């Protein structure tokens, strides 16, 4: 076991996670894929979708200060479809030494840190659109987490929903208004250091301007690493942008 601990990747176990949120069809996957190209940020490739469920059902696991309770929780999460798929269609199982931090936050960090370490990355992010409805709860569990809310023109979202699933545009627009308003209200309460809104149309037209405006640099500081003078290639559908630390 000591050898396993020595060989474990040296990463910051509580590095601030990044949650990309937004109405379905607003570009959460596009943005996650783009940010995931940074050498220090691991973006979970699927929509996990399960964090709110487990967050609100922790009573079934008992005292998460004990390794037994953390083991049960981690194993249940590791068996869910999204983690099963990302782990090569096999349940994700952590070693006990990886579950050394107590609480729900400790378990979630351990799971995502394991996946991030496989790509030699220091920080993790997740892109489930449904987390838009749980910003406040997630912000309490992860007090240093940062949220990127991507917003797309509701008419385009409605058109996409109708084309893909034959949803009535009126219902989609109603849901879009409710969810965007909820996300903005809850996000703004966190302040500009933890919450950033980006707009799909502006992002695809001029990604550099959109990501550099306002507090974007302090929030998405991981677009470049000054200490190592890195360049980060950041893919967008319309161009291939290289950001520097100049």
């Amino acid at each position: 076991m000591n050898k396993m601990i020595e060989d474990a990747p040296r990463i910051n176990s509580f590095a601030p996670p990044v949650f990309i949120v937004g109405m379905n069809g607003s570009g959460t996957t596009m943005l996650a894929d783009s940010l995931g190209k940074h050498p220090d940020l691991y973006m979970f490739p699927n929509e996990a979708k399960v964090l709110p469920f487990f967050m609100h059902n922790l009573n079934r696991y008992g005292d998460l200060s004990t390794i037994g309770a953390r083991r049960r929780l981690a194993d249940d999460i590791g068996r869910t479809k999204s983690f099963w798929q990302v782990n090569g269609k096999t349940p994700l199982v952590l070693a006990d030494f990886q579950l050394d931090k107590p609480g729900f936050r400790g378990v979630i960090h351990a799971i995502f840190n394991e996946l991030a370490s496989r790509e030699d990355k220091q920080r993790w992010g997740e892109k489930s659109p449904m987390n838009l409805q749980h910003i406040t709860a997630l912000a309490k569990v992860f007090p240093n987490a940062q949220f990127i809310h991507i917003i797309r023109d509701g008419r385009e979202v409605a058109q996409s929903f109708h084309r893909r699933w034959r949803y009535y545009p009126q219902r989609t627009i109603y849901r879009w208004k409710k969810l965007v308003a909820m996300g903005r209200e809850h996000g703004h309460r966190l302040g500009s250091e933890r919450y950033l809104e980006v707009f799909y149309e502006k992002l695809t037209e001029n990604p550099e301007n959109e990501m550099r405006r306002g507090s974007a640099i302090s929030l998405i500081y991981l677009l470049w690493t000054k200490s190592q003078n890195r360049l980060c290639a950041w893919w967008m559908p319309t161009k291939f942008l290289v950001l520097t630390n100049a």
Side-chain angles (χ1 to χ4, degrees):
M1 180 63 71
N2 289 337
K3 183 63 166 60
M4 292 178 69
I5 295 176
E6 290 173 2
D7 291 343
R10 304 299 183 184
I11 63 176
N12 183 348
S13 59
F14 283 160
V18 176
F19 290 101
I20 297 177
V21 300
M23 171 84 172
N24 305 71
S26 295
T28 52
T29 294
M30 176 197 72
L31 183 54
D33 288 349
S34 300
L35 292 180
K37 293 185 182 298
H38 187 276
D40 288 334
L41 177 64
Y42 169 78
M43 287 303 305
F44 191 67
N46 293 359
E47 295 175 10
K49 298 182 179 179
V50 299
L51 296 189
F53 171 81
F54 285 102
M55 191 165 52
H56 294 298
N57 288 277
L58 293 180
N59 59 323
R60 67 178 63 181
Y61 295 99
D63 184 1
L64 289 176
S65 67
T66 66
I67 185 61
R70 296 198 296 274
R71 162 64 54 209
R72 291 190 295 273
L73 174 60
D75 287 350
D76 280 356
I77 295 173
R79 283 192 291 265
T80 59
K81 184 177 180 180
S82 55
F83 289 94
W84 175 83
Q85 288 178 330
V86 169
N87 197 47
K89 296 186 177 180
T90 185
L92 177 63
V93 180
L94 302 185
D96 283 353
F97 78 86
Q98 294 174 291
L99 296 168
D100 61 336
K101 300 294 190 298
F104 178 69
R105 178 170 61 135
V107 171
I108 299 303
H109 272 296
I111 290 172
F112 282 110
N113 283 344
E114 161 61 21
L115 297 172
S117 71
R118 297 177 184 181
E119 298 184 11
D120 295 322
K121 297 194 174 185
Q122 304 295 314
R123 188 178 178 187
W124 60 267
E126 207 274 318
K127 64 173 184 178
S128 296
M130 66 179 294
N131 288 337
L132 179 66
Q133 304 172 68
H134 304 278
I135 288 177
T136 298
L138 288 167
K140 289 180 179 178
V141 172
F142 303 97
N144 60 351
Q146 295 170 311
F147 297 81
I148 308 175
H149 181 187
I150 184 167
I151 302 172
R152 188 179 186 183
D153 188 317
R155 294 165 297 185
E156 294 295 329
V157 174
Q159 184 180 59
S160 174
F161 272 47
H162 181 70
R163 182 179 65 253
R164 295 161 67 185
W165 301 300
R166 312 309 298 174
Y167 284 13
Y168 289 112
Q170 296 89 335
R171 295 184 64 180
T172 301
I173 288 290
Y174 176 80
R175 181 167 176 259
W176 177 87
K177 288 181 178 179
K178 290 288 186 180
L179 290 181
V180 169
M182 176 190 296
R184 300 187 79 175
E185 178 185 355
H186 294 178
H188 287 154
R189 292 176 186 169
L190 300 179
S192 60
E193 292 303 310
R194 298 189 64 193
Y195 174 77
L196 172 69
E197 291 174 0
V198 296
F199 296 89
Y200 176 90
E201 289 77 16
K202 293 180 180 179
L203 197 60
T204 53
E205 290 173 6
N206 195 327
E208 182 171 9
N209 282 353
E210 183 66 358
M211 295 306 290
R212 286 188 181 277
R213 65 177 175 77
S215 61
I217 291 181
S218 62
L219 181 62
I220 316 300
Y221 73 88
L222 45 76
L223 284 175
W224 62 90
T225 307
K226 292 185 178 180
S227 62
Q228 298 185 34
N229 196 31
R230 286 179 177 165
L231 300 180
C232 178
W234 195 57
W235 177 87
M236 293 298 295
T238 56
K239 60 185 69 179
F240 196 76
L241 175 68
V242 175
L243 297 181
T244 75
N245 64 349

